[in-house]
Amino acid sequence: MLASIAHRTPPRSYGPWEQVASTIAEGLVARGHDVTLFATADSATSGRLHAEAPAGYEEDASVDAKVYEALHIAAVFERAREFDVISNQFDFLPLVFSRLTPTPVVTTIHGFSSDRILPVYRAYDDVVEYVAISEADRHPDLTYAATIHHGIDTASFHLGAGDGGYLLFLGRIHPDKGTAAAIDVARRAGMPLVIAGVVQDAEYHRREVEPHVDGTNVRFVGSVGPAERDRLLGGARALLHLIEFDEPFGLSVVEAMAAGTPVIAYPRGSMPEIVRHGVSGFLVPDVAGAVAAVAQLGTLERAVCRTDAVTRFSSERMVDDYERLFRRVVAEHRSASDRR
Amino acid sequence: MLASIAHRTPPRSYGPWEQVASTIAEGLVARGHDVTLFATADSATSGRLHAEAPAGYEEDASVDAKVYEALHIAAVFERAREFDVISNQFDFLPLVFSRLTPTPVVTTIHGFSSDRILPVYRAYDDVVEYVAISEADRHPDLTYAATIHHGIDTASFHLGAGDGGYLLFLGRIHPDKGTAAAIDVARRAGMPLVIAGVVQDAEYHRREVEPHVDGTNVRFVGSVGPAERDRLLGGARALLHLIEFDEPFGLSVVEAMAAGTPVIAYPRGSMPEIVRHGVSGFLVPDVAGAVAAVAQLGTLERAVCRTDAVTRFSSERMVDDYERLFRRVVAEHRSASDRR
């Protein structure tokens, strides 16, 4: 299991790629598989840990990203013959090692940062097994082995009463995530808004968010750990997820559902695959639609939201899917080797 | 031969790594070796060309450096079994592929951009053969197979009369290269200065160089191609190379000598290995020393400068050194394989 080394695995707060790598690794260990997690030295796993980088390059300025990415990825491929399959949760760089090893490489594509990285995915389409994290994120030029939605530890979220009297924004503070639109919707709907997340775009935060933060109508609580996240979600009337990009998946959306909190989202990217309109939230075309949806929240049942999350987005379901895929890839690979 | 893909190979103007890769490749082809040059698609070689990147990432904004570096380097290692030896002129990233191939990798270290990249060189010290480009640039933590000074095509430089009545600065406009010190020395010595080179640090250029450019006492001519370079060097009384860092090698210093032009340099980095004090130039401790050296230029013979460059820094000598090293590495590698 090759994790990203931007953060430790599992992440302390932000780090969706590291979170998914950890969830799959721990799930496979629990099922009796022998798993080696390649991650930062301060990572935690019930499997075996192999570390090259002392810490995440986003968390320790002395860690040079390019240097440690290279050492980290090479370490997996130098030991490749010890493994039945390599699960790559680390973007495109590991792909270019994949022709140099007999071990099959399954690469989860956590979204395309830009079209500029497509040439690498295209070049290794014939040798690497790709996993899409949503149907919406499948690129027409690539061949996929499977689409596997992310799953979360639903047991660490609890069905909340939604009685905090506020709407919630949970995610990076960045134009992509629509923080400003959430502020606008809350104001028009006449409800307080709580904003939680790391500031990724400081200029946007200063210009579009800070002027509205008054501690009452708009509260900014910054990055929150798992317990606080569960509590904040449980008290929220709804999550406002008014994204401005085709988000390949939304972990915070699934977390909200696991706390029984409906999601009001624009129908972009993976949102129509995650949010069931009229069941676990509303897909709305614009700010006015979002305001109208707030008035409709009473028609949704929080317990149904949670059940849907547990059924469709639990870590068990994700680990099932990956385990099945890994078994299939290993079997196909052995059979192809036998024919040679 | 794995060249850098910042620029095409050989470079149109700036590009010392690409220049050295080209010189070695062409020299080996001329001696009958079968050479495949891995470089940008617009590169030129009398050997075979393998290109992944359409153009240099410094020359074409549509070329993503990280994407094409990965594809470019992987291409060499995917074809490694076709080659007796891989000559890596491309910094540290190729090192991490070196344990995945039976073909020996000889890596020329063109200087350490920072101590942060040392962990990779240390990690592959046992498997990769390192070449230092000067004794001064050898790092105490690493094991080297050889030190090989760069060589240039001395035939493309001609013994000039040095009768242009000016001193010359030739190199990147950057604090490291001491452009400001050169202006100061020329002014104090009462001689005009010609400045040629690409502006690498625009703020430094604006602040320390431009205010002095008057077209007479200080002339700025920008980047110059080979013919203009030869002409400028041939007319110069001396090259001022008052560097502010431990330069691992100085191609422009050797080019000056090939045109018969003495070099006035600070004795940092590789300078004491290149410039023979009192023969092909002067090693001086400071600006005052440089001004005094200008007055002593009459004691040096331009023909001796050129002879020294032809003897010690010709491409023939460099290609001899690399050919000998490659033969030795291949022989040692075969013998080690036979023992296994």
Side-chain angles (χ1 to χ4, degrees), chain B:
Chain B
M1 174 61 61
L2 177 57
S4 170
I5 55 165
H7 306 275
R8 77 151 200 187
T9 299
R12 291 183 176 83
S13 52
Y14 183 73
W17 298 16
E18 292 85 354
Q19 182 59 62
V20 168
S22 175
T23 304
I24 301 171
E26 298 309 299
L28 291 173
V29 171
R31 289 162 193 220
H33 296 287
D34 184 358
V35 178
T36 302
L37 174 70
F38 289 76
T40 59
D42 56 351
S43 294
T45 177
S46 51
R48 303 167 201 268
L49 178 66
H50 181 125
E52 295 287 332
Y57 59 78
E58 293 284 4
E59 299 176 352
D60 183 338
S62 76
V63 176
D64 185 285
K66 192 170 178 181
V67 162
Y68 280 101
E69 279 182 7
L71 289 172
H72 173 67
I73 295 169
V76 178
F77 288 93
E78 289 170 4
R79 293 185 55 190
R81 283 167 191 275
E82 300 174 37
F83 311 123
D84 295 320
V85 61
I86 293 169
S87 173
N88 164 30
Q89 305 284 335
F90 191 116
D91 214 8
F92 69 81
L93 203 50
L95 300 180
V96 303
F97 290 81
S98 57
R99 287 194 211 282
L100 304 174
T101 175
T103 307
V105 179
V106 177
T107 292
T108 300
I109 305 179
H110 288 262
F112 299 95
S113 54
S114 94
D115 272 356
R116 294 159 65 101
I117 67 176
L118 266 171
V120 185
Y121 286 104
R122 279 198 206 98
Y124 291 89
D125 189 61
D126 62 329
V127 60
V128 172
E129 305 285 349
Y130 293 134
V131 176
I133 62 172
S134 62
E135 292 297 326
D137 201 50
R138 282 191 176 225
H139 194 284
D141 289 2
L142 304 182
T143 314
Y144 290 86
T147 294
I148 303 183
H149 284 146
H150 292 333
I152 59 170
D153 176 16
T154 51
S156 68
F157 293 87
H158 302 89
L159 179 61
D163 54 0
Y166 58 87
L167 299 169
L168 180 66
F169 172 94
L170 178 61
R172 297 174 285 124
I173 315 301
H174 187 279
D176 279 353
K177 292 286 193 171
T179 326
I183 293 170
D184 195 18
V185 167
R187 189 183 51 77
R188 295 204 204 181
M191 285 188 71
L193 178 71
V194 174
I195 299 173
V198 292
V199 176
Q200 197 175 56
D201 184 331
E203 168 59 20
Y204 174 75
H205 182 66
R206 201 187 53 71
R207 202 180 59 237
E208 303 283 347
V209 178
E210 269 185 354
H212 302 282
V213 174
D214 59 9
T216 310
N217 291 313
V218 179
R219 281 202 293 140
F220 175 65
V221 300
S223 180
V224 290
E228 175 68 0
R229 208 176 176 88
D230 183 32
R231 206 189 54 73
L232 269 178
L233 284 165
R237 284 288 284 143
L239 182 80
L240 296 179
H241 202 74
L242 307 170
I243 46 171
E244 293 293 336
F245 77 121
D246 295 329
E247 191 170 43
F249 196 82
L251 278 175
S252 60
V253 169
V254 173
E255 291 172 356
M257 288 164 56
T261 306
V263 179
I264 298 173
Y266 289 156
R268 296 191 61 165
S270 57
M271 287 306 115
E273 296 172 49
I274 303 179
V275 178
R276 288 188 162 158
H277 184 77
V279 176
S280 55
F282 297 105
L283 298 166
V284 299
D286 51 24
V287 164
V291 174
V294 172
Q296 299 295 313
L297 286 170
T299 66
L300 305 181
E301 285 184 50
R302 295 184 66 99
V304 171
C305 287
R306 175 161 169 86
T307 302
D308 199 40
V310 171
T311 309
R312 298 198 298 138
F313 301 110
S314 69
S315 54
E316 289 77 15
R317 194 271 310 145
M318 174 171 71
V319 176
D320 280 347
D321 287 351
Y322 274 101
E323 187 181 30
R324 193 179 309 117
L325 174 63
F326 292 154
R327 283 190 193 282
R328 193 185 92 202
V329 167
V330 170
E332 285 172 0
H333 202 78
R334 285 204 180 125
S335 134
S337 300
D338 290 347
R339 280 199 302 276
R340 274 198 292 270

Side-chain angles (χ1 to χ4, degrees), chain A residues 8-10 22 25-26 37 39-49:
Chain A
R8 79 152 198 187
T9 299
S22 175
E26 298 310 298
L37 174 70
T40 60
D42 56 351
S43 294
T45 177
S46 51
R48 304 166 200 268
L49 178 66

Side-chain angles (χ1 to χ4, degrees), chain A residues 234-249:
Chain A
R237 282 288 282 144
L239 182 79
L240 297 180
H241 202 73
L242 307 170
I243 46 171
E244 293 292 336
F245 76 121
D246 295 329
E247 190 169 45
F249 196 82

